[in-house]
Amino acid sequence: MRKAQIAALTAATLLVAGGYYGLADALDLVPGPVTAAAEDITPQPFPQVASPQATVSQPSPLPEDVPVPQAAALDLLVRALEEDEALEEASVSASVIDVVTGEEILDHRAGTALTPASSNKLLTAWAALSLLGPEHALETSTVLDGETLTLVGGGDVLLAADEGDPTATAGRAGLGDLARQTAEALRSQGVTGVSLRLDDTLFSGPTWNEAWEAGNEAWVSGVQPIMVDVSAYHGQGGYPSDPALHAAQTFADHLREAGVSVQGSITRAAAADSAATVASVSSAPLADVLSLSLRTSDNSMTEVQGHLVAAAAGESADFEGAARAVLAQLGQDGFDTAGVTLLDSSGLAKGNKVPARLLAQVVGRAAGDQGGEVGRSLLAALPVGALDGTLDDRFLDTAAAGTVRAKTGSLDQTVSLSGVVTTADGRLLAFAVVVDGFAEGGLTAARAALDEHLMVPLAGCGCQG
């Protein structure tokens, strides 16, 4: 019942906010792949085919005639946050932007670069969507050169171990399917046995980031361009020590089952230029993949996305290249990246330094008229307060339930939140708040302070003074 009420509240908010297309999709207000509604098993009439001339409606413009919160009122909220005893010795950076006008109406040390934690993922997501496109899919293929079959990793780390599911995001493409398609093609050429090679050269450099502290092995895998569904390990740890080789071994097992013998052990090398494509399978579109990685704050998936941005940009496909490529794409898209330090793509590295203003500007652009498909895809991927993802247990029974859509960030001494909120008056705001440097072990109290003093009042207020 609680989630149904939240869903209804969210729907009402979206009708006011207009451009909030992604969440309207989740509530079945507009066409789209996501739903939060209960399954309807009532028999339905046979569908009618739409005319080819039918047009798809566009998101309504954001309302401009509702009150804009006053800076002084917002400043009082953030100062109350700073004064909470849980944040003693912490630094707070906050920015609030009116989405309609693009004006920054709260600048509380907004240009100060602090450790962003997983809000960092917003930068990677924007760069990936902008450079690669929301519909970009990743191909995992096999190629043959003589009697050497090479499994080529193309960046899909959500591969099903056996059969793929064309309706799923994780497991859209399956290694078992690829093996069976490959075996059929090989048999048609009279090939019944091969030596197997793994080509994971799409990425370079170390698979582990030296900027990550010990203990993070439970929260991120080694970064490689082919894996069996890495999202299945999220929050549980136990990642394979060599995910790419694990995927190749899984493929080899299915190839044998399909009647093609694999001679010797699996070797690693780039596919020969003369090799001919045998078979391939494709991932879900990038927008769907981001919807999974951002909602769950999956570090492994985001690091892979950063490496893919680097490869597409012509940078070295490693951690340093990913940072350069993400910042370059943000700069090309008109964002000011001065003062930003990126050591990874996911936000695990404490050495990352990002101003709240940049995070708010990214979300503000996404939510505004200039956001386009990139912006709508980014917003649609963010968790909704009290409803799903990493916000499913926050803002319960408050004004922020269903009205806050944001990326969370959590490290042992950092908490952040970056997204959009619709005020009680109906004004759509983009915001980013980073709280960095509170006492060790104080994460839960710091997060509660952020919600209590800033986010819930912001959602519930008119903030007119």
Side-chain angles (χ1 to χ4, degrees):
M1 176 64 70
R2 178 180 62 78
K3 287 196 174 184
Q5 292 171 338
I6 292 168
L9 176 59
T10 305
T13 301
L14 292 174
L15 291 175
V16 175
Y20 221 155
Y21 192 91
L23 185 53
D25 172 14
L27 300 174
D28 299 323
L29 298 177
V30 297
V34 182
T35 182
E39 182 178 5
D40 183 1
I41 60 175
T42 305
Q44 300 295 318
F46 192 82
Q48 298 297 315
V49 178
S51 163
Q53 286 75 36
T55 58
V56 178
S57 61
Q58 296 298 314
S60 302
L62 296 173
E64 300 184 19
D65 56 350
V66 295
V68 179
Q70 293 183 0
L74 298 185
D75 189 63
L76 288 175
L77 297 182
V78 76
R79 292 190 182 280
L81 170 64
E82 282 189 314
E83 293 170 1
D84 191 289
E85 62 181 11
L87 304 188
E88 187 177 358
E89 298 182 3
S91 297
V92 177
S93 175
S95 174
V96 176
I97 295 173
D98 177 39
V99 172
V100 171
T101 64
E103 177 186 356
E104 185 177 51
I105 53 178
L106 173 67
D107 170 5
H108 187 83
R109 294 193 288 272
T112 301
L114 301 176
T115 300
S118 281
S119 282
N120 202 68
K121 292 179 172 70
L122 286 172
L123 307 183
T124 305
W126 177 280
L129 287 166
S130 180
L131 182 60
L132 301 173
E135 297 302 316
H136 182 76
L138 304 167
E139 184 177 90
T140 306
S141 62
T142 53
V143 298
L144 184 66
D145 180 38
E147 295 182 352
T148 299
L149 180 73
T150 302
L151 173 65
V152 183
D156 189 354
V157 296
L158 297 178
L159 289 160
D162 192 357
E163 294 183 4
D165 180 351
T167 68
T169 297
R172 174 74 62 94
L175 284 169
D177 291 335
L178 180 59
R180 288 182 285 273
Q181 292 172 24
T182 298
E184 182 178 356
L186 292 176
R187 286 194 300 270
S188 71
Q189 301 176 43
V191 178
T192 58
V194 295
S195 59
L196 183 59
R197 176 184 292 168
L198 168 64
D199 182 350
D200 58 354
T201 60
L202 177 63
F203 296 167
S204 59
T207 62
W208 187 259
N209 194 323
E210 293 182 353
W212 296 336
E213 295 182 320
N216 278 313
E217 293 84 355
W219 301 103
V220 64
S221 72
V223 181
Q224 295 175 310
I226 178 171
M227 305 186 200
V228 177
D229 187 8
V230 73
S231 71
Y233 299 92
H234 181 76
Q236 304 178 41
Y239 296 100
S241 59
D242 190 337
L245 184 59
H246 172 242
Q249 291 167 338
T250 301
F251 171 81
D253 290 342
H254 288 300
L255 195 62
R256 294 186 188 99
E257 292 171 0
V260 175
S261 64
V262 177
Q263 302 155 6
S265 59
I266 300 170
T267 60
R268 273 184 153 106
D273 293 338
S274 58
T277 299
V278 178
S280 66
V281 289
S282 295
S283 73
L286 175 61
D288 294 346
V289 173
L290 282 172
S291 185
L292 175 60
S293 64
L294 288 178
R295 275 194 172 86
T296 61
S297 200
D298 191 288
N299 297 307
S300 305
M301 294 173 66
T302 307
E303 292 297 339
V304 168
Q305 290 155 14
H307 279 54
L308 290 170
V309 171
E315 287 280 2
S316 58
D318 53 21
F319 294 108
E320 293 81 5
R324 289 193 298 270
V326 166
L327 287 176
Q329 188 62 45
L330 290 169
Q332 183 175 323
D333 290 342
F335 296 106
D336 182 3
T337 61
V340 175
T341 299
L342 289 188
L343 301 180
D344 68 9
S345 297
S346 64
L348 275 178
K350 288 186 174 181
N352 292 321
K353 300 297 177 184
V354 179
R357 176 175 291 130
L358 174 59
L359 296 168
Q361 286 175 342
V362 168
V363 183
R365 173 87 64 85
D369 293 339
Q370 304 303 313
E373 288 295 322
V374 169
R376 286 191 288 273
S377 297
L378 181 61
L379 280 185
L382 298 180
V384 179
L387 184 62
D388 66 358
T390 54
L391 285 180
D392 67 347
D393 60 351
R394 290 173 67 176
F395 308 126
L396 303 177
D397 301 317
T398 72
T403 67
V404 170
R405 191 178 191 104
K407 181 69 200 74
T408 56
S410 303
L411 291 172
D412 57 356
Q413 292 180 279
T414 299
V415 64
S416 63
L417 196 67
S418 307
V420 291
V421 58
T422 304
T423 68
D425 283 338
R427 198 75 183 189
L428 184 62
L429 307 176
F431 67 87
V433 186
V434 181
V435 182
D436 188 23
F438 48 81
E440 290 186 8
L443 174 60
T444 299
R447 183 186 293 140
L450 171 59
D451 293 352
E452 176 185 353
H453 295 301
L454 183 57
M455 294 315 306
V456 172
L458 182 59
C461 79
C463 296
Q464 296 304 298

